[in-house]
């Protein structure tokens, strides 16, 4: 259509309707000359803004959370199976002289539990052979709460010598025995929280006491062997610097049904094959486990080579 006349001015009349925001009414006719007759009908700027729409979801619609895969070491089950094979003889010191073998099987239940706790306290920084010999002397003397309290420090020291830090352990045995008599009726606590409050008892001892004395799995008992081997095998997301860090890292991915066996399995493996110094890599079935990711023994050897190599003004550290 052509332009329509409005006085001396002209304006265009749209041929079709323009669809606006939620409106089908035609736009106002615009006068090219600024005629008030037509400009008075123009909408205000606020009226011509696009209306915001609110988006709502159906109540029945459930947004599924993003699933993240739990980290675990590559082929750790195969490594564990090979360690089981190497430990099939069960002839390591821990198998014959560990805390499970140091209590009197004929004693009352609460006395058995006390002797388990005592053997664990003596085992810190001490070889199983030395701990077993000390426990044998203590049991012959009378390893009960009352007997420990009635024994003078000098005699008690002679009975447990030469366990590591034996003087400190004499004090811990006396203090712990007093707490057990006064607060627990001569028995040991049945929780990790209660056990770690006893003088000289740490997390490793507490978890092992729960397993051996109370037959409850509360956590992994991580000592220096488990700590060392877990790092060597790459069973941790990142290297750890303490047994307690290792325990927490292992419990994040290791199935709970394997927690109980982890201690005796890796301790015996560490006593016979994966030694702290000069491990017997030549007889380890994990030696050539994975050529791509390197065996733990090879990594250990590389670490030793580099840690012993020092240059003037330069040092290389393989692991923190």
């Amino acid at each position: 259509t052509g332009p329509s006349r409005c006085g001396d001015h002209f304006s265009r009349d749209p041929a079709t309707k323009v669809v606006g925001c939620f409106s089908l009414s035609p736009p106002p006719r615009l006068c090219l000359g600024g005629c008030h007759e037509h400009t008075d009908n123009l909408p205000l700027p606020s009226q011509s803004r696009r209306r915001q729409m609110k988006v709502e979801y159906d109540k029945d619609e459930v947004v599924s959370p993003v699933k993240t895969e739990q980290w675990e070491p590559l082929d750790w089950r195969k490594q564990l199976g090979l360690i089981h094979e190497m430990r099939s003889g069960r002839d390591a010191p821990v198998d014959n002289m560990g805390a499970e073998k140091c209590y009197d099987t004929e004693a009352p239940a609460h006395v058995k539990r006390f002797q388990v706790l005592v053997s664990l306290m003596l085992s810190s920084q001490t070889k199983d052979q030395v701990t077993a010999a000390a426990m044998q002397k203590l049991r012959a003397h009378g390893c009960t709460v009352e007997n420990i309290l009635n024994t003078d420090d000098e005699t008690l020291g002679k009975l447990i010598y030469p366990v590591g830090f034996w003087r400190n352990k004499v004090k811990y045995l006396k203090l712990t025995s007093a707490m057990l008599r006064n607060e627990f009726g001569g028995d040991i606590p049945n929780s990790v929280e209660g056990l770690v409050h006893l003088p000289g008892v740490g997390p490793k001892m507490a978890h092992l006491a729960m397993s051996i004395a109370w037959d409850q799995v509360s956590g992994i008992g991580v000592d220096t062997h488990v700590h060392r081997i877990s790092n060597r095998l790459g069973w941790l997301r990142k290297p750890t610097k303490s047994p307690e860090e290792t325990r927490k890292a292992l419990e994040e991915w290791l199935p709970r049904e394997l927690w109980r066996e982890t201690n005796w399995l890796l301790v015996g493996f560490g006593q016979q094959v994966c030694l702290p110094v000069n491990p017997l890599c030549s007889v380890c079935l994990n030696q050539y486990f994975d050529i791509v990711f390197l065996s733990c023994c090879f990594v250990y050897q590389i670490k030793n080579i580099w840690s012993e190599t020092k240059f003037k003004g330069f040092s290389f550290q393989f692991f923190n």
Side-chain angles (χ1 to χ4, degrees):
T1 59
S4 61
R5 195 169 187 80
C6 175
D8 295 332
H9 309 296
F10 294 86
S11 64
R12 291 189 178 277
D13 188 7
T16 59
K17 293 181 179 180
V18 178
V19 179
C21 298
F22 311 104
S23 174
L24 297 178
S25 61
R29 299 176 62 189
L30 302 178
C31 179
L32 299 179
C35 178
H36 292 288
E37 179 183 351
H38 300 281
T39 58
D40 289 343
N41 295 326
L42 289 176
L44 296 175
S46 60
Q47 295 174 334
S48 63
R49 290 178 181 172
R50 186 178 298 273
R51 186 181 301 170
Q52 294 183 352
M53 297 181 64
K54 182 179 180 180
V55 180
E56 295 183 356
Y57 295 96
D58 295 337
K59 293 182 179 180
D60 296 336
E61 183 179 357
V62 178
V63 180
S64 58
V66 178
K67 295 183 179 180
T68 56
E69 294 185 0
Q70 183 180 8
W71 179 90
E72 63 179 27
L74 181 67
D75 290 334
W76 65 270
R77 290 187 183 274
K78 294 181 180 179
Q79 291 178 314
L80 185 66
L82 293 174
I83 295 175
H84 266 288
E85 185 176 344
M86 289 182 280
R87 290 280 286 116
S88 60
R90 299 182 71 99
D91 53 359
V94 68
D95 298 313
N96 302 313
M97 292 171 281
E100 291 179 298
K101 305 293 183 180
C102 288
Y103 63 85
D104 184 3
T105 58
E106 303 297 327
H110 71 283
V111 175
K112 291 180 185 178
R113 290 190 285 267
F114 175 69
Q115 292 180 0
V116 168
L117 181 63
V118 171
S119 66
L120 290 170
M121 294 175 67
L122 297 181
S123 68
S124 177
Q125 303 293 319
T126 306
K127 293 183 179 297
D128 286 335
Q129 297 90 327
V130 178
T131 301
M135 282 301 300
Q136 188 174 4
K137 290 187 291 183
L138 272 179
R139 285 168 52 189
H141 174 76
C143 189
T144 64
V145 170
E146 293 298 332
N147 279 355
I148 295 296
L149 290 174
N150 293 330
T151 303
D152 62 85
D153 292 359
E154 183 179 357
T155 301
L156 188 58
K158 291 179 179 179
L159 289 171
I160 68 173
Y161 181 86
V163 299
F165 304 99
W166 62 272
R167 290 184 178 86
N168 290 334
K169 291 177 181 178
V170 167
K171 299 177 184 177
Y172 293 150
L173 286 175
K174 284 293 190 72
L175 292 172
T176 293
S177 297
M179 287 185 64
L180 296 181
R181 182 188 62 183
N182 299 333
E183 300 179 23
F184 299 95
D187 207 342
I188 71 173
N190 60 353
S191 68
V192 173
E193 293 76 15
L195 287 166
V196 295
H197 278 88
L198 299 174
V201 178
K204 179 206 76 171
M205 302 177 198
H207 289 299
L208 289 177
M210 290 297 298
S211 176
I212 301 171
W214 291 108
D215 195 27
Q216 297 180 20
V217 178
S218 59
I220 302 174
V222 178
D223 67 347
T224 180
H225 294 290
V226 180
H227 170 63
R228 178 182 71 254
I229 294 171
S230 297
N231 277 277
R232 285 184 181 176
L233 290 175
W235 281 8
L236 310 171
R237 187 187 293 268
K238 60 181 181 180
T240 56
K241 297 183 179 180
S242 70
E244 185 61 10
E245 287 184 36
T246 300
R247 180 188 67 81
K248 294 177 180 178
L250 284 174
E251 290 178 359
E252 287 181 356
W253 64 267
L254 189 66
R256 191 179 181 89
E257 60 267 21
L258 299 177
W259 289 8
R260 185 191 293 269
E261 71 174 28
T262 299
N263 181 267
W264 73 263
L265 188 69
L266 295 187
V267 168
F269 179 58
Q271 290 174 337
Q272 293 182 310
V273 179
C274 198
L275 307 175
V277 180
N278 298 323
L280 305 180
C281 300
S282 59
V283 300
C284 179
L285 298 181
N286 280 316
Q287 181 182 8
Y288 303 109
F289 180 76
D290 195 330
I291 193 171
V292 176
F293 289 90
L294 303 177
S295 69
C296 63
C297 302
F298 182 70
V299 171
Y300 174 80
Q301 297 297 342
I302 293 295
K303 173 187 174 183
N304 280 350
I305 292 173
W306 279 106
S307 63
E308 294 174 1
T309 304
K310 294 183 179 179
F311 300 93
K312 185 177 181 180
F314 174 80
S315 64
F316 181 88
Q317 188 174 5
F318 193 82
F319 286 133
N320 291 329

